[in-house]
PDB file of all heavy atoms in Angstrom:
ATOM      1  N   LEU A  99     -17.480  14.737 -15.328  1.00 87.00           N
ATOM      2  CA  LEU A  99     -18.194  14.028 -16.388  1.00 87.00           C
ATOM      3  C   LEU A  99     -17.565  14.293 -17.751  1.00 87.00           C
ATOM      4  O   LEU A  99     -17.384  13.368 -18.556  1.00 87.00           O
ATOM      5  CB  LEU A  99     -19.661  14.460 -16.391  1.00 87.00           C
ATOM      6  CG  LEU A  99     -20.492  14.003 -15.180  1.00 87.00           C
ATOM      7  CD1 LEU A  99     -21.832  14.716 -15.157  1.00 87.00           C
ATOM      8  CD2 LEU A  99     -20.689  12.499 -15.205  1.00 87.00           C
ATOM      9  N   ARG A 100     -17.208  15.554 -18.025  1.00 86.00           N
ATOM     10  CA  ARG A 100     -16.715  15.905 -19.353  1.00 86.00           C
ATOM     11  C   ARG A 100     -15.261  15.500 -19.573  1.00 86.00           C
ATOM     12  O   ARG A 100     -14.905  15.077 -20.667  1.00 86.00           O
ATOM     13  CB  ARG A 100     -16.874  17.422 -19.578  1.00 86.00           C
ATOM     14  CG  ARG A 100     -18.321  17.883 -19.639  1.00 86.00           C
ATOM     15  CD  ARG A 100     -18.415  19.379 -19.931  1.00 86.00           C
ATOM     16  NE  ARG A 100     -19.781  19.848 -19.876  1.00 86.00           N
ATOM     17  CZ  ARG A 100     -20.662  19.730 -20.879  1.00 86.00           C
ATOM     18  NH1 ARG A 100     -20.288  19.160 -22.001  1.00 86.00           N
ATOM     19  NH2 ARG A 100     -21.878  20.196 -20.736  1.00 86.00           N
ATOM     20  N   THR A 101     -14.416  15.661 -18.557  1.00 85.00           N
ATOM     21  CA  THR A 101     -12.982  15.470 -18.773  1.00 85.00           C
ATOM     22  C   THR A 101     -12.458  14.134 -18.279  1.00 85.00           C
ATOM     23  O   THR A 101     -11.352  13.745 -18.647  1.00 85.00           O
ATOM     24  CB  THR A 101     -12.186  16.596 -18.088  1.00 85.00           C
ATOM     25  OG1 THR A 101     -12.368  16.494 -16.679  1.00 85.00           O
ATOM     26  CG2 THR A 101     -12.656  17.952 -18.559  1.00 85.00           C
ATOM     27  N   LYS A 102     -13.215  13.431 -17.430  1.00 85.00           N
ATOM     28  CA  LYS A 102     -12.736  12.167 -16.884  1.00 85.00           C
ATOM     29  C   LYS A 102     -13.520  10.975 -17.430  1.00 85.00           C
ATOM     30  O   LYS A 102     -12.938  10.003 -17.903  1.00 85.00           O
ATOM     31  CB  LYS A 102     -12.824  12.178 -15.352  1.00 85.00           C
ATOM     32  CG  LYS A 102     -12.113  13.341 -14.686  1.00 85.00           C
ATOM     33  CD  LYS A 102     -10.623  13.300 -14.880  1.00 85.00           C
ATOM     34  CE  LYS A 102      -9.949  14.450 -14.144  1.00 85.00           C
ATOM     35  NZ  LYS A 102      -8.487  14.434 -14.313  1.00 85.00           N
ATOM     36  N   LEU A 103     -14.821  11.029 -17.342  1.00 87.00           N
ATOM     37  CA  LEU A 103     -15.643   9.859 -17.663  1.00 87.00           C
ATOM     38  C   LEU A 103     -16.083   9.809 -19.118  1.00 87.00           C
ATOM     39  O   LEU A 103     -16.101   8.731 -19.715  1.00 87.00           O
ATOM     40  CB  LEU A 103     -16.872   9.838 -16.746  1.00 87.00           C
ATOM     41  CG  LEU A 103     -16.567   9.650 -15.254  1.00 87.00           C
ATOM     42  CD1 LEU A 103     -17.828   9.743 -14.425  1.00 87.00           C
ATOM     43  CD2 LEU A 103     -15.870   8.315 -15.008  1.00 87.00           C
ATOM     44  N   GLN A 104     -16.427  10.950 -19.717  1.00 86.00           N
ATOM     45  CA  GLN A 104     -16.858  10.925 -21.114  1.00 86.00           C
ATOM     46  C   GLN A 104     -15.772  10.436 -22.064  1.00 86.00           C
ATOM     47  O   GLN A 104     -16.050   9.626 -22.955  1.00 86.00           O
ATOM     48  CB  GLN A 104     -17.357  12.308 -21.539  1.00 86.00           C
ATOM     49  CG  GLN A 104     -17.973  12.321 -22.939  1.00 86.00           C
ATOM     50  CD  GLN A 104     -18.475  13.698 -23.335  1.00 86.00           C
ATOM     51  OE1 GLN A 104     -18.173  14.695 -22.667  1.00 86.00           O
ATOM     52  NE2 GLN A 104     -19.239  13.772 -24.411  1.00 86.00           N
ATOM     53  N   PRO A 105     -14.503  10.857 -21.902  1.00 85.00           N
ATOM     54  CA  PRO A 105     -13.468  10.315 -22.808  1.00 85.00           C
ATOM     55  C   PRO A 105     -13.273   8.813 -22.669  1.00 85.00           C
ATOM     56  O   PRO A 105     -12.751   8.181 -23.583  1.00 85.00           O
ATOM     57  CB  PRO A 105     -12.206  11.083 -22.386  1.00 85.00           C
ATOM     58  CG  PRO A 105     -12.705  12.330 -21.751  1.00 85.00           C
ATOM     59  CD  PRO A 105     -13.961  11.945 -21.053  1.00 85.00           C
ATOM     60  N   LEU A 106     -13.651   8.236 -21.536  1.00 84.00           N
ATOM     61  CA  LEU A 106     -13.526   6.786 -21.365  1.00 84.00           C
ATOM     62  C   LEU A 106     -14.694   6.030 -21.973  1.00 84.00           C
ATOM     63  O   LEU A 106     -14.698   4.795 -21.969  1.00 84.00           O
ATOM     64  CB  LEU A 106     -13.424   6.443 -19.880  1.00 84.00           C
ATOM     65  CG  LEU A 106     -12.151   6.911 -19.172  1.00 84.00           C
ATOM     66  CD1 LEU A 106     -12.248   6.628 -17.684  1.00 84.00           C
ATOM     67  CD2 LEU A 106     -10.931   6.236 -19.760  1.00 84.00           C
ATOM     68  N   GLY A 107     -15.686   6.751 -22.455  1.00 84.00           N
ATOM     69  CA  GLY A 107     -16.802   6.090 -23.115  1.00 84.00           C
ATOM     70  C   GLY A 107     -17.814   5.480 -22.184  1.00 84.00           C
ATOM     71  O   GLY A 107     -18.529   4.555 -22.583  1.00 84.00           O
ATOM     72  N   VAL A 108     -17.915   5.984 -20.953  1.00 86.00           N
ATOM     73  CA  VAL A 108     -18.865   5.396 -20.008  1.00 86.00           C
ATOM     74  C   VAL A 108     -20.048   6.317 -19.729  1.00 86.00           C
ATOM     75  O   VAL A 108     -21.061   5.862 -19.189  1.00 86.00           O
ATOM     76  CB  VAL A 108     -18.172   5.030 -18.687  1.00 86.00           C
ATOM     77  CG1 VAL A 108     -17.192   3.898 -18.906  1.00 86.00           C
ATOM     78  CG2 VAL A 108     -17.480   6.232 -18.071  1.00 86.00           C
ATOM     79  N   VAL A 109     -19.960   7.611 -20.056  1.00 87.00           N
ATOM     80  CA  VAL A 109     -21.089   8.525 -19.932  1.00 87.00           C
ATOM     81  C   VAL A 109     -21.101   9.430 -21.157  1.00 87.00           C
ATOM     82  O   VAL A 109     -20.097   9.572 -21.862  1.00 87.00           O
ATOM     83  CB  VAL A 109     -21.008   9.398 -18.650  1.00 87.00           C
ATOM     84  CG1 VAL A 109     -21.035   8.539 -17.407  1.00 87.00           C
ATOM     85  CG2 VAL A 109     -19.785  10.295 -18.675  1.00 87.00           C
ATOM     86  N   ALA A 110     -22.262  10.048 -21.400  1.00 85.00           N
ATOM     87  CA  ALA A 110     -22.393  11.008 -22.487  1.00 85.00           C
ATOM     88  C   ALA A 110     -23.587  11.901 -22.192  1.00 85.00           C
ATOM     89  O   ALA A 110     -24.518  11.489 -21.485  1.00 85.00           O
ATOM     90  CB  ALA A 110     -22.573  10.296 -23.829  1.00 85.00           C
ATOM     91  N   PRO A 111     -23.571  13.146 -22.709  1.00 85.00           N
ATOM     92  CA  PRO A 111     -24.758  13.995 -22.551  1.00 85.00           C
ATOM     93  C   PRO A 111     -25.952  13.340 -23.219  1.00 85.00           C
ATOM     94  O   PRO A 111     -25.828  12.680 -24.256  1.00 85.00           O
ATOM     95  CB  PRO A 111     -24.356  15.304 -23.245  1.00 85.00           C
ATOM     96  CG  PRO A 111     -22.875  15.265 -23.336  1.00 85.00           C
ATOM     97  CD  PRO A 111     -22.500  13.830 -23.442  1.00 85.00           C
ATOM     98  N   LEU A 112     -27.095  13.504 -22.613  1.00 76.00           N
ATOM     99  CA  LEU A 112     -28.300  12.858 -23.124  1.00 76.00           C
ATOM    100  C   LEU A 112     -28.675  13.450 -24.469  1.00 76.00           C
ATOM    101  O   LEU A 112     -28.903  14.655 -24.596  1.00 76.00           O
ATOM    102  CB  LEU A 112     -29.450  13.034 -22.128  1.00 76.00           C
ATOM    103  CG  LEU A 112     -30.702  12.237 -22.441  1.00 76.00           C
ATOM    104  CD1 LEU A 112     -30.391  10.749 -22.395  1.00 76.00           C
ATOM    105  CD2 LEU A 112     -31.798  12.569 -21.447  1.00 76.00           C
ATOM    106  N   GLY A 113     -28.736  12.574 -25.495  1.00 55.00           N
ATOM    107  CA  GLY A 113     -29.113  12.991 -26.831  1.00 55.00           C
ATOM    108  C   GLY A 113     -30.497  12.506 -27.171  1.00 55.00           C
ATOM    109  O   GLY A 113     -31.364  12.358 -26.310  1.00 55.00           O
ATOM    110  N   PRO A 114     -30.707  12.206 -28.414  1.00 47.00           N
ATOM    111  CA  PRO A 114     -32.035  11.733 -28.817  1.00 47.00           C
ATOM    112  C   PRO A 114     -32.374  10.359 -28.281  1.00 47.00           C
ATOM    113  O   PRO A 114     -33.531  10.001 -28.222  1.00 47.00           O
ATOM    114  CB  PRO A 114     -31.948  11.724 -30.346  1.00 47.00           C
ATOM    115  CG  PRO A 114     -30.481  11.645 -30.647  1.00 47.00           C
ATOM    116  CD  PRO A 114     -29.799  12.392 -29.549  1.00 47.00           C
ATOM    117  N   HIS A 115     -31.338   9.609 -27.863  1.00 43.00           N
ATOM    118  CA  HIS A 115     -31.585   8.280 -27.315  1.00 43.00           C
ATOM    119  C   HIS A 115     -31.301   8.307 -25.817  1.00 43.00           C
ATOM    120  O   HIS A 115     -30.385   8.969 -25.358  1.00 43.00           O
ATOM    121  CB  HIS A 115     -30.691   7.248 -27.997  1.00 43.00           C
ATOM    122  CG  HIS A 115     -30.887   7.212 -29.489  1.00 43.00           C
ATOM    123  ND1 HIS A 115     -32.020   6.714 -30.076  1.00 43.00           N
ATOM    124  CD2 HIS A 115     -30.097   7.662 -30.491  1.00 43.00           C
ATOM    125  CE1 HIS A 115     -31.919   6.834 -31.405  1.00 43.00           C
ATOM    126  NE2 HIS A 115     -30.768   7.412 -31.674  1.00 43.00           N
ATOM    127  N   PRO A 116     -32.044   7.518 -25.002  1.00 44.00           N
ATOM    128  CA  PRO A 116     -31.835   7.535 -23.552  1.00 44.00           C
ATOM    129  C   PRO A 116     -30.439   7.098 -23.142  1.00 44.00           C
ATOM    130  O   PRO A 116     -29.917   7.563 -22.161  1.00 44.00           O
ATOM    131  CB  PRO A 116     -32.907   6.563 -23.033  1.00 44.00           C
ATOM    132  CG  PRO A 116     -33.905   6.462 -24.146  1.00 44.00           C
ATOM    133  CD  PRO A 116     -33.161   6.684 -25.401  1.00 44.00           C
ATOM    134  N   ALA A 117     -29.831   6.183 -23.882  1.00 43.00           N
ATOM    135  CA  ALA A 117     -28.507   5.685 -23.512  1.00 43.00           C
ATOM    136  C   ALA A 117     -27.585   5.795 -24.707  1.00 43.00           C
ATOM    137  O   ALA A 117     -27.632   4.957 -25.608  1.00 43.00           O
ATOM    138  CB  ALA A 117     -28.600   4.236 -23.035  1.00 43.00           C
ATOM    139  N   PRO A 118     -26.751   6.812 -24.795  1.00 45.00           N
ATOM    140  CA  PRO A 118     -25.859   6.977 -25.945  1.00 45.00           C
ATOM    141  C   PRO A 118     -24.907   5.809 -26.081  1.00 45.00           C
ATOM    142  O   PRO A 118     -24.491   5.207 -25.111  1.00 45.00           O
ATOM    143  CB  PRO A 118     -25.102   8.270 -25.616  1.00 45.00           C
ATOM    144  CG  PRO A 118     -25.920   8.952 -24.577  1.00 45.00           C
ATOM    145  CD  PRO A 118     -26.613   7.882 -23.826  1.00 45.00           C
ATOM    146  N   ALA A 119     -24.560   5.501 -27.295  1.00 44.00           N
ATOM    147  CA  ALA A 119     -23.665   4.376 -27.557  1.00 44.00           C
ATOM    148  C   ALA A 119     -22.223   4.809 -27.404  1.00 44.00           C
ATOM    149  O   ALA A 119     -21.876   5.978 -27.505  1.00 44.00           O
ATOM    150  CB  ALA A 119     -23.906   3.842 -28.967  1.00 44.00           C
ATOM    151  N   VAL A 120     -21.350   3.833 -27.170  1.00 44.00           N
ATOM    152  CA  VAL A 120     -19.923   4.094 -27.054  1.00 44.00           C
ATOM    153  C   VAL A 120     -19.364   4.386 -28.437  1.00 44.00           C
ATOM    154  O   VAL A 120     -19.611   3.649 -29.392  1.00 44.00           O
ATOM    155  CB  VAL A 120     -19.200   2.888 -26.446  1.00 44.00           C
ATOM    156  CG1 VAL A 120     -17.712   3.159 -26.361  1.00 44.00           C
ATOM    157  CG2 VAL A 120     -19.776   2.588 -25.077  1.00 44.00           C
ATOM    158  N   THR A 121     -18.601   5.475 -28.567  1.00 45.00           N
ATOM    159  CA  THR A 121     -18.003   5.815 -29.849  1.00 45.00           C
ATOM    160  C   THR A 121     -16.509   5.971 -29.671  1.00 45.00           C
ATOM    161  O   THR A 121     -16.036   6.852 -28.966  1.00 45.00           O
ATOM    162  CB  THR A 121     -18.597   7.125 -30.391  1.00 45.00           C
ATOM    163  OG1 THR A 121     -18.406   8.145 -29.419  1.00 45.00           O
ATOM    164  CG2 THR A 121     -20.095   6.980 -30.670  1.00 45.00           C
TER     165      THR A 121
END
Side-chain angles (χ1 to χ4, degrees):
L99 291 169
R100 294 183 185 278
T101 65
K102 305 294 182 180
L103 295 176
Q104 187 179 12
L106 293 174
V108 293
V109 298
L112 189 63
H115 302 289
V120 179
T121 56

